[in-house]
Amino acid sequence: MNIAHFTLSAPTALAPMAGITDNPFRRLCRAFGAGWTVGEMISGDPTLRHTRKTLNRIDFSGENSPIVVQIAGAEPQRLAAAAAHHAALGADVIDINMGCPAKKVCRAEAGSALMKNEKLVAEILRATVAAVNIPVTLKTRLGWDDEHLNVLDIARIAQDAGITALAIHGRSRTQMYRGRADYRLIATVKRALSIPVWVNGDITTPEQAQRALEISGADGVMIGRGAQGRPWLFREIAEYLRSGSLIPTLPEEKVATVLQHLQEIYTFYGAQHGVRIARKHIAWYVQDLPEQADFRRRMNELNDAALQYEAVAEFLQRTMNRDT
């Protein structure tokens, strides 16, 4: 799969998720074969550029190209300036968020709320593409609600504006994450465009990845919630798409991966802040294991990184030995 001048190692992408797809998690997913990873959403507001949150989100140290920075907002010139700012800092690709369904974002007429205003979409995309000499991509949904599924119109505007790739989540904004993602309209979009298209939504297994590609005709799969607690999913999907073989990740490797992830979280954020960041990832890693509810409650009471690490190591090793 190619996006602009980048040749991807696999047709799999890690979707941007605020508070989740940080530097440690992106590097981990890349290590398991994700061909494309997108950073956490960054506000186009220049007054927020030097906050701790933003500085953490734009820290791509140790990551390989392409570095993809996602920006959000509703003002064309502000987004254009943000794109230029991040390009100057070393971004290889700018991604524009028109898919976030969060109330806070949509109240500011950003994220998926932009789909209600096609004229503004065109202005934002043209201004951003003109502001940088690197590729600009777009992430969107099917539309604002089920009565206004205008992703095809948005997609045509995007291609005409110079957008180099499009990622589409197969739900409207009002659906949030309820129901099932619909890939059929994405197929219509794909047939109408000449740029690459990612299909996104409800991809949690290799079989679902293949089904999404078959229905949508998309060039690759973009995975968000399906990768939470399962970074090895990228390798499993790539192998299934290549050979048709289901090769599950061994428990021993899963345990080693979780513990490595924890160490990298502590290193990146510092032990005090890292122990809190790690809690949600631990919850995802153990969500299908026996006794996970009690264990998760205990994790929320631990405020020491060393104790957290030891407790996770003991719990996973005990559970793994019980299952083997």
Side-chain angles (χ1 to χ4, degrees), residues 276-290:
R276 296 193 296 272
I277 296 291
R279 287 172 183 158
K280 57 192 170 191
H281 291 281
I282 293 169
W284 290 319
Y285 280 124
V286 305
Q287 60 187 337
D288 296 324
L289 298 178

Side-chain angles (χ1 to χ4, degrees), residues 21 24 30 37 40 78 85 87 150 168 177 180 206 217 264 267 311:
T21 55
R30 280 282 186 93
T37 58
E40 301 169 84
R78 179 172 279 190
H85 171 75
N150 62 334
I168 307 172
Y177 297 101
R180 299 293 302 173
E264 292 182 354
T267 299

Side-chain angles (χ1 to χ4, degrees), residues 54-125:
T54 297
L55 292 175
N56 282 336
R57 289 185 175 186
I58 62 172
D59 188 334
F60 289 85
S61 56
E63 297 186 54
N64 295 325
S65 181
I67 302 300
V68 187
V69 173
Q70 187 185 73
I71 58 176
E75 299 177 24
Q77 294 309 313
R78 179 172 279 190
L79 281 177
H85 171 75
H86 292 294
L89 292 179
D92 296 312
V93 179
I94 297 297
D95 186 62
I96 299 177
N97 184 309
M98 292 189 187
C100 179
K103 290 182 179 179
K104 179 180 179 181
V105 174
C106 290
R107 277 199 299 266
E109 296 303 316
S112 53
L114 284 168
M115 299 192 73
K116 296 187 290 184
N117 189 339
E118 294 178 11
K119 181 177 181 293
L120 180 58
V121 167
E123 293 173 358
I124 286 172
L125 299 184

Side-chain angles (χ1 to χ4, degrees), residues 74 76 96 98 109 111-127 138 140-145 147-161 163 185 189:
I96 299 177
M98 292 189 187
E109 296 303 316
S112 53
L114 284 168
M115 299 192 73
K116 296 187 290 184
N117 189 339
E118 294 178 11
K119 181 177 181 293
L120 180 58
V121 167
E123 293 173 358
I124 286 172
L125 299 184
R126 286 196 297 264
L138 174 66
T140 185
R141 285 193 165 222
L142 298 181
W144 174 254
D145 57 33
E147 287 70 46
H148 301 89
L149 301 178
N150 62 334
V151 66
L152 178 58
D153 295 330
I154 296 290
R156 286 174 168 150
I157 291 169
Q159 181 167 273
D160 290 344
I163 293 298
L185 188 51
V189 172

